[in-house]
């Protein structure tokens, strides 16, 4: 970093080259009024409110577009500057309905703040002749009122530069100009309701419907989105245990942006359909009876213990949830190992990203991706395989769109014409393969790279297993992998396969991201191995801008897997047969642990049908709807003698339950989530759990009633135990997470 010094209003400011005067002043706590500038957008320089004077230079300079230089002496306040600023604000106000007290944006408004900063006492130009009165209420989450619009174009630029969507435009000219979602209204436009324009709008022209209806909140809390594996950081505004608004936090992987889910889809939290009390029944044909959580837990423990007594300890199993926090997942697997006394524990990664864990674990040593979002930004070429990124992981999808617009190469391998393959502003290579032929296609790409001698010989010689490489070479050079042969199998033109291979290999830095289109196949692991082979072949691993990363589906799939919710491993993929690891867990848990590998999800259902598995504890997973072969799952669930489901809502799976325990949403709990990058982020309780009991307490109480006491006073105590048992977390604590915002594992042991 090139640090320089300058004087702003007499204050010595140290900053970096490449910053604007406005940014340097803001960092130093000096407020310069502005209306068209927004921290996530490129400098625009249209409102001219942010003008400053620079010693030795004539005239005024817009601080949002003028770069700092070493030794600059800057004045942000002078009688002349303030006179010009007042005039500008007066002109804005002359065409604005400043009915502030009844405006939903009152006290949130940057125009109001600018008027206050420059000291407006009167508006001399009382015209208001040009005020437009266009209203658009068609979007379900926000509304537009042109009478409050100052035409700063922040919304238009946010849509383009942040969301990469181009849904908004300025129509007409001069005084007639107005903001419009294309040529129609919001609901019929290209808008995907990400809310970036609403966040960027300095006035009440674009505003969330919830703010209009509920007013502002009085409490602001930072936490992590609970929808997908991107793990966006959010700021939640609430009052009286009710959420009012959610916006993106600048410090997360999302850098302030969110998608429609994280931004607006949180109304389920306060839904009347939420399960708030426990439900029990003897038979699944009976009606549920509402009881206290304590009574339900007593009933549950009695039934589970009866099953253990009557059949065997192996007749019980548990499923942890990838929607829950790391701490809760850890507790569920601990309950299964210590209270059920077996290893029959699994999580939904079994049916989505198990091939990721297996193939990345074998290729790179651990079952997790190798690139983070910062590295993705530095890639020259991004290969997207089997992932409809803009739909499933929208914030990463928007980022890739922006990178593509900036000219990065994009290779899409997907049978579907996804957004990233068809956007008019993006030049991408789309290999639209026939479903089920990805292994053949990826091998063919490798075939071309080897034939054309485009591989990284040094990387392979120094970093790969040469014996395996020679064997693989024999296979890959076989004619069956040639583009002319594979084009017939995959239905992708031979020339396109060759072009993609050359683009991939000749880029300086290539990153591969992939989704369930790779893993959810019978041969999912082979698909992931093909990707790791491609990355190693070209030396695209272990370097900035390179890597192979799975875009995880649910918010904490990575974490649930890291926490050892698998039948064969403890936390961070250490096998239960490893003496030292097992002894460490036995020591910490004060419990002799079973050494038999437990049942996977498919094995659990087969065991239920053949009568060996009798009781299950399913936390936050609707297996009936989500697992393959519904008839088989139905038969398995019906075969169980006793099923306990911990959930937010009644679901098709709870139809088979004897007990339903109330779960809590991500906004009602403390803990941590781990995203696709291996980023551990803090989850903070925003509202109290609707059930009246923390979800982790329900798990610990159940364990204690089953005869294995768990006694934690906070989620932090649980996390400290996980850290103590997991070298990958180093000496990580909640305090360090708060300090750094979030950290990727393996956490640097020297992170103080
Ligand atoms: S909500 Fe998002 S997509 Fe829709 S107009 Fe605003 S920025 Fe564009
Ligand atoms: S709607 Fe808001 S952000 Fe867009 S131009 Fe008007 S004032 Fe600016
Ligand atoms: S991209 Fe994923 S984590 Fe981010 S706001 Fe959307 S759903 Fe939440």
């Amino acid at each position: 970093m090139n640090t320089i010094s300058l004087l702003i209003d007499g204050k010595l400011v140290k900053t970096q080259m490449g910053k604007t005067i406005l940014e340097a002043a803001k960092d130093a706590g000096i407020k310069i009024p502005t209306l068209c500038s927004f921290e996530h957008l490129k400098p625009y320089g249209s409102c001219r409110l942010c003008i400053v004077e620079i010693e030795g230079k004539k005239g005024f300079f817009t601080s949002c577009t003028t770069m700092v230089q070493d030794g600059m002496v800057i004045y942000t306040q002078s009688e002349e500057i303030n006179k010009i600023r007042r005039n500008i604000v007066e002109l804005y106000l002359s065409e604005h309905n400043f009915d502030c007290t009844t405006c939903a944006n009152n006290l949130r408004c940057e125009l109001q703040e600018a008027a206050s900063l420059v000291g407006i006492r009167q508006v001399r130009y009382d015209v208001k002749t040009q005020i437009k009165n266009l209203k658009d209420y068609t979007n379900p989450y926000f509304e537009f009122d042109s009478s409050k619009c100052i035409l700063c174009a922040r919304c238009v630029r946010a849509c383009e530069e942040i969301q990469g969507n181009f849904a908004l435009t300025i129509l007409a000219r001069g005084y007639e100009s107005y903001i419009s979602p294309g040529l129609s209204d919001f609901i019929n436009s290209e808008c995907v309701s990400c809310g970036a324009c609403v966040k960027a709008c300095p006035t009440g022209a674009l505003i969330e419907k919830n703010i209009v209806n509920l007013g502002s909140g009085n409490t602001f809390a930072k936490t992590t989105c609970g929808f997908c594996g991107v793990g966006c950081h959010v700021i939640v505004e609430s009052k009286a245990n009710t959420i009012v608004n959610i916006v993106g936090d600048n410090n997360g992987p999302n850098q302030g942006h969110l998608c429609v889910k994280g931004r607006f889809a949180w109304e389920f939290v306060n839904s009347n359909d939420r399960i708030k009390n426990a439900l029990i029944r003897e038979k699944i044909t009976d009606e549920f009876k509402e009881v206290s959580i304590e009574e339900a837990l007593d009933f549950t423990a009695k039934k589970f213990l009866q099953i253990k007594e009557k059949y065997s300890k192996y007749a019980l199993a548990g499923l942890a949830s990838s929607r829950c926090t790391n701490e809760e997942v850890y507790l569920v697997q601990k309950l299964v190992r210590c209270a059920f006394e077996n290893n029959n524990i699994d999580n939904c990664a079994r049916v989505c990203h198990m091939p990721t864990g297996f193939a990345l674990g074998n290729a790179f040593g651990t079952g997790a991706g190798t690139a983070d979002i910062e590295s993705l930004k530095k890639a020259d070429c991004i290969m997207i395989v089997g992932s409809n990124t803009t739909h499933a992981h929208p914030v990463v999808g928007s980022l890739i769109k922006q990178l593509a617009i900036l000219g990065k190469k994009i290779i899409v391998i997907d049978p579907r014409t996804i957004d990233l393959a068809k956007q008019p502003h993006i030049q991408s290579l789309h290999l639209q393969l026939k479903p089920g032929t990805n292994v053949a296609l990826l091998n063919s790409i490798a075939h071309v790279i080897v034939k054309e001698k485009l591989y990284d010989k040094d990387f392979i010689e120094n970093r790969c297993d040469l014996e395996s490489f020679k064997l693989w070479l024999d296979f890959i050079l076989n004619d069956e992998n040639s583009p002319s042969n594979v084009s017939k199998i995959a239905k992708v033109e031979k020339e396109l396969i060759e072009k993609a291979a050359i683009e991939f290999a000749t880029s300086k830095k290539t990153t591969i991201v992939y989704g369930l289109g790779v893993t959810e196949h019978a041969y999912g692991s082979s698909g992931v191995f093909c990707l790791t082979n491609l990355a190693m072949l070209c030396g695209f691993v272990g370097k900035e801008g390179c890597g192979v990363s799975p875009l995880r589906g649910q918010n904490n799939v990575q974490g649930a897997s890291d926490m050892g919710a698998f039948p064969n491993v403890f936390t961070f993929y250490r096998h239960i047969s490893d003496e030292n690891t097992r002894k460490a867990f036995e020591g910490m848990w004060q419990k002799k642990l079973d050494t038999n590998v437990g049942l996977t999800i498919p094995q659990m259902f087969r065991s239920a049908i053949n009568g060996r598995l009798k009781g299950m504890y399913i936390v936050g997973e609707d297996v009936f709807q989500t697992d393959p072969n519904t008839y088989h799952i139905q038969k398995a669930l019906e075969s169980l003698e006793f099923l306990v489901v911990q959930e937010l809502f009644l679901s098709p799976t709870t139809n088979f339950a004897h007990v339903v325990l109330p779960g809590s949403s991500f906004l009602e709990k403390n803990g941590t989530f781990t995203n696709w990058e291996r980023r551990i982020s803090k989850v903070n309780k925003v509202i109290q759990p609707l059930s009246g009991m923390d979800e982790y307490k329900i798990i610990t109480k159940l364990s204690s009633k089953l005869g294995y006491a768990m006694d934690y006073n906070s989620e932090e105590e649980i996390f400290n135990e996980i850290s103590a048992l997991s070298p990958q977390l180093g000496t990580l604590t909640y305090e360090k997470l708060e300090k750094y915002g979030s950290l990727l594992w393996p956490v640097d042991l020297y992170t103080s």
Side-chain angles (χ1 to χ4, degrees):
M1 282 279 190
N2 199 350
T3 302
I4 56 166
S5 304
L6 49 148
L7 275 183
I8 306 181
D9 294 339
K11 182 176 178 180
L12 180 67
V13 173
K14 297 232 180 269
T15 188
Q16 279 83 41
M17 285 297 279
K19 290 211 176 204
T20 62
I21 294 175
L22 186 69
E23 286 168 332
K26 190 177 170 216
D27 293 347
I30 298 166
K31 197 153 199 157
I32 301 177
T34 171
L35 282 169
C36 70
S37 152
F38 185 61
E39 57 190 328
H40 302 292
L41 301 175
K42 287 188 216 125
Y44 197 55
S46 83
C47 76
R48 308 198 71 79
L49 256 189
C50 70
I51 48 165
V52 293
E53 286 174 287
I54 301 171
E55 202 167 88
K57 298 199 176 188
K58 267 198 178 151
F60 302 98
F61 297 82
T62 45
S63 60
C64 68
T65 55
T66 311
M67 296 297 165
V68 289
Q69 280 171 22
D70 197 24
M72 259 182 175
V73 178
I74 297 154
Y75 303 98
T76 74
Q77 306 287 331
S78 69
E79 191 36 49
E80 200 156 358
I81 289 175
N82 285 333
K83 201 169 145 198
I84 296 169
R85 284 183 186 154
R86 270 195 293 275
N87 198 39
I88 293 169
V89 177
E90 271 187 78
L91 284 167
Y92 274 123
L93 291 176
S94 71
E95 293 298 340
H96 193 86
N97 279 335
F98 48 101
D99 48 353
C100 296
T101 45
T102 53
C103 176
N105 208 39
N106 193 20
L107 301 182
R108 311 167 76 92
C109 182
E110 290 178 43
L111 180 59
Q112 207 176 39
E113 193 190 7
S116 155
L117 272 174
V118 301
I120 295 289
R121 298 291 166 259
Q122 59 164 337
V123 178
R124 289 165 294 161
Y125 319 107
D126 192 19
V127 278
K128 298 195 193 266
T129 50
Q130 311 297 339
I131 295 181
K132 292 237 159 2
N133 222 358
L134 304 170
K135 309 261 196 284
D136 186 340
Y137 301 118
T138 60
N139 186 284
Y141 310 111
F142 56 85
E143 54 194 50
F144 174 65
D145 176 355
S146 71
S147 73
K148 309 247 182 248
C149 176
I150 57 168
L151 281 168
C152 62
R154 273 162 62 163
C155 53
V156 180
R157 292 180 285 138
C159 193
E160 288 175 15
E161 294 175 30
I162 299 172
Q163 177 59 23
N165 216 31
F166 304 90
L168 293 175
T169 189
I170 299 180
L171 289 181
R173 296 275 169 105
Y175 284 126
E176 297 303 313
S177 311
Y178 64 99
I179 296 294
S180 177
L183 293 173
S184 62
D185 50 15
F186 274 97
I187 202 70
N188 292 304
S189 72
E190 294 291 309
C191 172
V192 293
S193 300
C194 71
C197 56
V198 186
K199 189 179 176 203
C201 180
T203 69
L206 278 163
I207 191 160
E208 295 90 347
K209 284 195 160 128
N210 268 304
I211 297 290
V212 175
N213 296 330
L214 303 172
S216 296
N218 55 12
T219 309
F220 293 81
K222 293 189 173 203
T223 189
T224 305
C225 177
F227 278 101
C228 86
V230 179
C232 296
H233 287 198
V234 297
I235 300 173
V236 188
E237 185 176 347
S238 65
K239 58 181 170 189
N241 226 34
T242 304
I243 314 294
V244 171
N245 197 24
I246 295 186
V247 292
D249 186 10
N250 289 349
N251 291 324
N254 47 314
Q255 308 224 310
H257 189 36
L258 290 179
C259 76
V260 60
K261 293 177 279 183
R263 183 85 157 89
F264 298 115
W266 39 263
E267 283 181 345
F268 75 93
V269 173
N270 290 319
S271 162
N272 289 334
D273 294 337
R274 280 281 302 276
I275 301 164
K276 295 185 189 125
N277 298 308
L279 307 168
I280 64 170
R281 59 186 173 187
E282 280 293 335
K283 299 197 293 291
I284 61 170
T285 46
D286 294 344
E287 288 292 310
F288 275 123
K289 186 171 85 166
E290 210 169 270
V291 295
S292 70
I293 297 175
E294 286 291 339
E295 189 180 337
L297 289 174
D298 285 337
F299 179 71
T300 302
K302 189 176 98 194
K303 292 284 184 182
F304 276 150
L305 289 172
Q306 277 171 358
I307 288 173
K308 214 169 158 190
E309 177 80 24
K310 188 170 165 197
Y311 302 101
S312 101
K313 62 180 183 177
Y314 298 113
L316 297 174
L319 286 188
S321 172
S322 302
R323 289 245 173 258
C324 284
T325 60
N326 287 325
E327 291 74 359
E328 289 158 348
V329 173
Y330 173 82
L331 289 184
V332 175
Q333 60 90 36
K334 183 174 176 181
L335 178 149
V336 168
R337 298 192 208 277
C338 296
F340 286 176
E341 298 179 299
N342 63 43
N343 290 303
N344 293 340
I345 171 73
D346 213 346
N347 80 90
C348 76
R350 173 74 45 203
V351 284
C352 63
H353 266 290
M354 205 54 216
T356 287
F358 179 73
L360 295 188
N362 275 282
F364 301 141
T366 188
T370 70
D372 66 2
I373 208 147
E374 286 309 313
S375 181
L376 185 66
K377 288 179 195 166
K378 295 188 175 107
D380 303 305
C381 172
I382 302 167
M383 181 188 261
I384 304 145
V385 192
S387 155
N388 190 351
T389 324
T390 53
H391 286 203
H393 300 89
V395 166
V396 172
S398 306
L399 173 69
I400 296 178
K401 258 194 203 177
Q402 291 168 37
L403 295 172
I405 291 166
L406 291 175
K408 309 255 176 174
K409 291 185 218 162
I410 303 290
I411 303 170
V412 174
I413 301 184
D414 205 298
R416 301 159 296 184
T417 309
I418 61 169
D419 279 357
L420 291 170
K422 68 169 182 212
Q423 283 271 326
H425 311 277
I426 297 176
Q427 290 288 321
S428 58
L429 277 187
H430 183 199
L431 280 63
Q432 196 163 18
L433 74 174
K434 187 177 150 197
T437 62
N438 58 332
V439 169
L441 183 67
L442 293 167
N443 278 336
S444 189
I445 291 174
H447 176 98
V448 177
I449 294 171
V450 174
K451 273 248 156 151
E452 298 291 324
K453 298 202 175 1
L454 295 173
Y455 56 93
D456 187 336
K457 210 161 159 276
D458 283 353
F459 183 89
I460 293 164
E461 278 172 8
N462 293 316
R463 309 286 292 275
C464 302
D465 177 52
L466 287 178
E467 280 300 300
S468 312
F469 180 64
K470 278 178 198 147
L471 284 174
W472 179 81
L473 268 188
D474 284 345
F475 157 74
I476 212 75
L477 284 171
N478 193 303
D479 243 11
E480 70 183 15
N481 291 316
S482 67
S484 44
N485 187 45
V486 171
S487 66
K488 291 180 214 135
I489 300 166
K491 306 291 178 219
V492 175
E493 286 168 30
K494 168 180 167 284
E495 292 72 22
L496 205 49
I497 300 174
E498 288 164 349
K499 195 167 177 202
I502 290 164
E503 284 220 343
F504 179 92
T506 55
S507 297
K508 269 200 179 138
K509 297 179 231 161
T510 298
T511 291
I512 302 171
V513 290
Y514 68 94
L516 301 179
V518 175
T519 56
E520 285 191 336
H521 288 283
Y523 52 86
S525 305
S526 307
V528 182
F529 273 127
C530 288
L531 300 177
T532 60
N533 286 344
L534 277 177
M536 287 188 283
L537 185 63
C538 297
F540 292 145
V541 194
K543 298 174 191 165
E544 203 170 53
C546 301
V548 182
S549 284
L551 291 166
R552 304 293 193 153
Q554 294 185 350
N555 55 313
N556 203 29
V557 176
Q558 182 68 55
S561 305
D562 297 345
M563 290 302 107
F566 285 132
N568 57 339
V569 289
F570 292 117
T571 60
F572 292 95
Y573 315 99
R574 289 160 304 153
H575 205 274
I576 58 167
S577 62
D578 180 75
E579 277 290 304
N580 289 338
T581 308
R582 203 175 59 251
K583 288 239 152 30
F585 277 81
E586 286 182 342
M588 178 69 85
W589 293 352
Q590 292 295 294
K591 177 82 190 171
K592 186 89 189 134
L593 297 174
D594 193 75
T595 52
N596 295 309
V597 168
L599 301 172
T600 61
I601 296 176
Q603 288 168 337
M604 286 177 197
F605 292 136
R606 279 200 292 276
S607 294
I609 291 170
N610 66 30
R612 283 203 292 274
L613 189 72
K614 298 291 184 184
M616 274 187 89
Y617 175 35
I618 300 180
V619 181
E621 182 79 23
D622 184 4
V623 289
F624 182 83
Q625 277 208 104
T626 54
D627 281 44
N629 196 347
T630 306
Y631 175 66
H632 174 73
I633 308 297
Q634 176 175 354
K635 213 165 152 202
L637 296 177
E638 281 170 349
S639 306
L640 291 170
E641 270 188 31
F642 190 63
L643 173 64
V644 181
V645 179
Q646 197 157 310
E647 259 301 357
L648 299 187
F649 294 93
L650 290 176
S651 70
T653 301
T654 61
N655 287 339
F656 302 91
H658 300 82
V659 174
V660 179
L661 296 168
S664 303
S665 74
F666 70 101
L667 293 165
E668 296 157 64
K669 53 180 68 168
N670 292 313
T672 51
F673 289 151
T674 310
N675 79 347
W676 67 286
E677 306 164 271
R678 293 172 276 110
R679 183 187 299 275
I680 304 167
S681 299
K682 194 69 188 39
V683 176
N684 296 311
K685 194 190 279 184
V686 178
I687 56 170
Q688 292 307 314
L690 266 55
S691 70
M693 191 181 288
D694 286 321
E695 191 153 6
Y696 88 88
K697 287 263 183 216
I698 294 178
I699 305 164
T700 56
K701 274 175 183 270
L702 176 60
S703 181
S704 300
K705 286 176 196 286
L706 285 165
Y708 179 78
M710 282 194 203
D711 196 15
Y712 300 96
N713 292 312
S714 68
E715 298 85 344
E716 188 166 11
E717 279 184 17
I718 306 164
F719 188 80
N720 290 343
E721 184 175 310
I722 302 168
S723 270
L725 285 166
S726 311
Q728 288 78 355
L729 297 186
T731 52
L732 190 60
T733 57
Y734 278 6
E735 202 185 326
K736 282 185 191 167
L737 275 180
E738 301 285 359
K739 180 175 165 190
Y740 290 97
S742 57
L743 284 167
L744 271 67
W745 71 257
V747 178
D748 186 352
L749 287 176
Y750 303 101
T751 306
S752 56

